[in-house]
Amino acid sequence: MDPLRERMERLYPLCRSLTGDGVRESLAILAETVPLELRTAASGTPVFDWTVPPEWNARAARITDAATGRVLVDLADHTLHLVSYSVPFRGRLSRAELEPHLHSLPDRPDWIPYRTSYYARDWGFCLTQRQRDALGEGPFDVDVDTSLAPGELTYGELLVPGASVEAGEVLVTSHLCHPSLANDNLTGLTVAVELARRLAERPHRLGYRFVFAPGTIGSLVWLRDHPDVLPRLRHVLVLTGLGGGGPLVYKRSRPGDAPLDLAAAHVLRHRGGRLIDYAPYGYDERQFNALGFGLPAGRLTRTPHGEYPEYHTSADDLGFVTDEELYDALAAIEEIFGVLEGEATYRALQPYGEPQLGRRGLYPAVGGRTASEASMAMLWLLACSDGGTSVREIADRAGLPFALLRRAADDLVGAELLAPV
Amino acid sequence: MDPLRERMERLYPLCRSLTGDGVRESLAILAETVPLELRTAASGTPVFDWTVPPEWNARAARITDAATGRVLVDLADHTLHLVSYSVPFRGRLSRAELEPHLHSLPDRPDWIPYRTSYYARDWGFCLTQRQRDALGEGPFDVDVDTSLAPGELTYGELLVPGASVEAGEVLVTSHLCHPSLANDNLTGLTVAVELARRLAERPHRLGYRFVFAPGTIGSLVWLRDHPDVLPRLRHVLVLTGLGGGGPLVYKRSRPGDAPLDLAAAHVLRHRGGRLIDYAPYGYDERQFNALGFGLPAGRLTRTPHGEYPEYHTSADDLGFVTDEELYDALAAIEEIFGVLEGEATYRALQPYGEPQLGRRGLYPAVGGRTASEASMAMLWLLACSDGGTSVREIADRAGLPFALLRRAADDLVGAELLAPV
Amino acid sequence: MDPLRERMERLYPLCRSLTGDGVRESLAILAETVPLELRTAASGTPVFDWTVPPEWNARAARITDAATGRVLVDLADHTLHLVSYSVPFRGRLSRAELEPHLHSLPDRPDWIPYRTSYYARDWGFCLTQRQRDALGEGPFDVDVDTSLAPGELTYGELLVPGASVEAGEVLVTSHLCHPSLANDNLTGLTVAVELARRLAERPHRLGYRFVFAPGTIGSLVWLRDHPDVLPRLRHVLVLTGLGGGGPLVYKRSRPGDAPLDLAAAHVLRHRGGRLIDYAPYGYDERQFNALGFGLPAGRLTRTPHGEYPEYHTSADDLGFVTDEELYDALAAIEEIFGVLEGEATYRALQPYGEPQLGRRGLYPAVGGRTASEASMAMLWLLACSDGGTSVREIADRAGLPFALLRRAADDLVGAELLAPV
């Protein structure tokens, strides 16, 4: 079985939330591939405008028909059945008393919705509409065997160092708090870990830092923990929802024209992806882009949140994501990182007219035909390398892939026709 | 009967022109609703490159068949029959002699055109093509019983003061010189007077100044009379042609990006209106936008001049305008003024990540669903209030209505998450 | 016969290349219409990154069937049969040995391609695919009776001086090196010479310099020869491919917003032409736009190179170009030069509202109708002549032809309503 798929299958059934054993077990699986450093923040720790919540663990949760003893809804069947952060509860309820604690999707009668109640102390069950319709009149015995107690929030981190500290770092982050939802976000976690593994095996200029943390509060804890790292961050990329069909979608950072935005735009233009503007809703790009941090955070997804019916339901299962989608996302991200790594600015050394490429073996000998893409890449670099226009900018003007211009620039530097500035 | 309609019906038959009794009678009707101050400029007064013309009054004007005594064309039937500012004339003319003095519309045989000869001393009659075809061979007795004599140009003005003189003023102006044409411009006059009445009944920050003056020379007289007011004018809005079908059309000021332009663009985007660029033709926006004054004057119409066949003909009658169009224009203008009144710039007070809206009661307790428009309005304000980006700018970026962000800003100021700069 | 057509017919059969008798004979024909100054550069002269090649002349070239003595391919039949700059060769070859020296177009079996080998010492024949298929198995006697010897590169130049040296110069250039190809580039040469003839007959502000030189190396020689002229060049226009069907296409200079670009954009917008962005491929715009010179060079063609199948084949013959296309190009260029000549910036002298055009005889006396284009031209100039906005800029904003505004500006200067700045 594909190793990415195998990782997703093991992560899928774990009961993740903002805190708790499910998070720690998930991080342990990710740490089998790359060496993750685990960090914690104690419940009650103030984090900017927030506070680390109590640690939540769910041992069991079920609704039983009081008359027959039949179990009607059971956390053991699906992690989505229990509203995340449900407080402990045990009691016998009428149907009317139970109703406000139930969540289902009338339009999608076979799907279980995903609901949370992180900051309002409540309990609840999510179930299919068919289950709900068949509950009967009760009374019901409800058992929510959870604990909310002082504990800790856990996240995993890894730095794959670059050749030069001065070049700065790329932060890649993927939220870890969702339970059995495959696209959102086993895809992000799986692709990020594989990226880290690959980057660790080859040289690169920039450092790549990977963070796997629960959404919102987890990212804020990371931001609070790393005041020394923030000035070194050049680019922040949030990964999530990389399956589910359709082309890749890059969401621009709040400024909208950060180097990562321009690199991603370049790559997706050539790969047929889609760009969307920043909006202060979605995933943890909200925290990094916040005015106080001002970190340019873009986001790569395939299926933007809320734009697909399976979003935050049990239909976002392992079958909703294909291996091809994961590898396509990996290739796209590596291309984007290729632009960040290879970006440079040159000055033409023979600027008086076009240099004679032919006598340097850089141009076809027989004239009269139109130029190849490789020749065009050279001509564009020679025409525009004024010491202030970068290879990526020239590639965008030329409508040619960055990698082609990157290779041509190397050849032209070798021929002493370009010099880096 | 609707009060706006009633006002239009009384104004319709009056014989208005640049000067004369018809102008004064019209101002008297407008002054029944709001207290208008009447001002005058004597004939012969130099006004920038122009001179106030002699006062013109028309007692009677008709063409009679000399043989039969039958009256063929009569000012008493329609104010459009006489070319405005026709000089007095009495005489017997052949058909050939009469012809150069006749104006009709061959393509619209039942409509009377509207023609003026303000600055060339001449007389003339406008008639339907059918009337013209049936005139016969004459001779004709022509009687143009008008007077052109030293007198005065009259205009009406009203200031509805704002809470703060420093906030400046909005000038709303509507031309008063057209005779029996309903859309052009009883709609502008009627809507402007109703606006003034409503504004006088509620508090507002800006002052609103209303001017009802004859076109071109009237606006120039006003501009000459108010050198002290000009520096206080922040926005100039010309109102005319608010009926006649189709969506509202806002014509941008000469600069094109004045605050009024941006407010109107915002409102019309959400109401389904249309924007057109400035051109130095049309109504009195020409005078206010002139280089020497440099006042950013936009214009709201529904049916831009020259773009509808009824323009400047007897077909622009009371049936050409609906009450709904008047009230729709009123609502749009009040929305635009709402943007001007409510525009402000804030600084986020908790900029390190997203503040926890939930514990302040500003966010739904159960998570997992997509955000409401009200939540989005708050998130946008928090994400972009950097002390230099205004509520209207954020509303435009968000694609949300200004009023929604305005309310959200008030809530966030109340929660001490935003502070005005 | 049309004189332009007559010139093309005489130029067509000559065997032009970078150097040699064909170039000199062609310049002699052009010099019959306008007085051309001929200049030369000796073989071996270093020119920036290049060197002037040896002079090449072709006396004869043929492939003969060795068995039958039948001539199979003969330069005497068509100048395209011999690869340009073929080195001398005489020998008997098998079909297999001959093959690498043959060029044909399988998809266009009746066309001869155009091929060059300027800088790689080789020889070759171009032939139709049908000729190639019928060659037989050989052996073949090949005779390439050419000479490559120290000599010179020749170009022709003409300055039509302008009224003011300070106004600067326009360089019009057309490549001279292509043999029997009509569109590419007898059209450019013919139109340029006719332009020069017309310009010499009338007054103009700018100087117009015409250069007829072989491509690339010829332009570089000219650039090396004229360091004193370069600072005076305001605009460079490359002319080529003005026939072949379709609308005129203007290729922008490298900066893309040079005055020539804006003038050409204006004219082609009104004439229905097409604009394309700069790319460092094509004709000698590559040399003038190079970073070291930084001359803003645009290019006018009808059929951009490589975009038509006849490009660089024998199908680009005299029938591929119509007289109408040549005269249409001439008219367009003269309009573009009209913008360059007539461009100016004014300041309104009566800026307080619209001046009273009527009393100056500049406006129709009877009002009520919509304005004519001539009136609109005046109103636009008065509305926008702030001393910093040019006539061309105002024409573009107004969407009116430059010539109309140019005439209106003259009238308004006459009426003392505008003054040049």
Side-chain angles (χ1 to χ4, degrees), chain C residues 338-361:
Chain C
V339 176
L340 299 178
E341 289 282 335
E343 179 63 323
T345 303
Y346 295 94
R347 190 168 49 81
L349 296 178
Q350 297 283 1
Y352 296 101
E354 214 168 270
Q356 198 179 354
L357 296 174
R359 67 171 161 88
R360 294 174 173 93

Side-chain angles (χ1 to χ4, degrees), chain B residues 47-51 83 103 114-120 122 216 220 223 253-256 277-281 286-287 289-293 305-306 311-312, chain C residues 346-348 350-360 363 365-372 375-376 378-387 397-398 417:
Chain B
V47 186
F48 304 110
D49 195 54
W50 301 66
T51 305
V83 169
H103 305 273
Y114 166 56
R115 294 287 179 267
T116 67
S117 187
Y118 296 142
Y119 300 102
D122 200 354
T216 305
L220 291 170
L223 282 158
S253 71
R254 183 167 53 80
D277 283 332
Y278 185 73
Y281 196 67
R286 295 152 80 163
Q287 310 311 325
N289 278 304
L291 284 162
F293 303 118
H305 67 95
Y311 173 71
H312 278 193
Chain C
Y346 295 94
R347 190 168 49 81
Q350 297 283 1
Y352 296 101
E354 214 168 270
Q356 198 179 354
L357 296 174
R359 67 171 161 88
R360 294 174 173 93
Y363 209 71
V366 175
R369 298 188 195 86
T370 51
S372 69
S375 292
M376 286 307 296
M378 284 194 197
L379 294 176
W380 273 107
L381 285 162
L382 292 167
C384 299
S385 287
D386 54 7
R397 182 165 182 187
L417 289 172

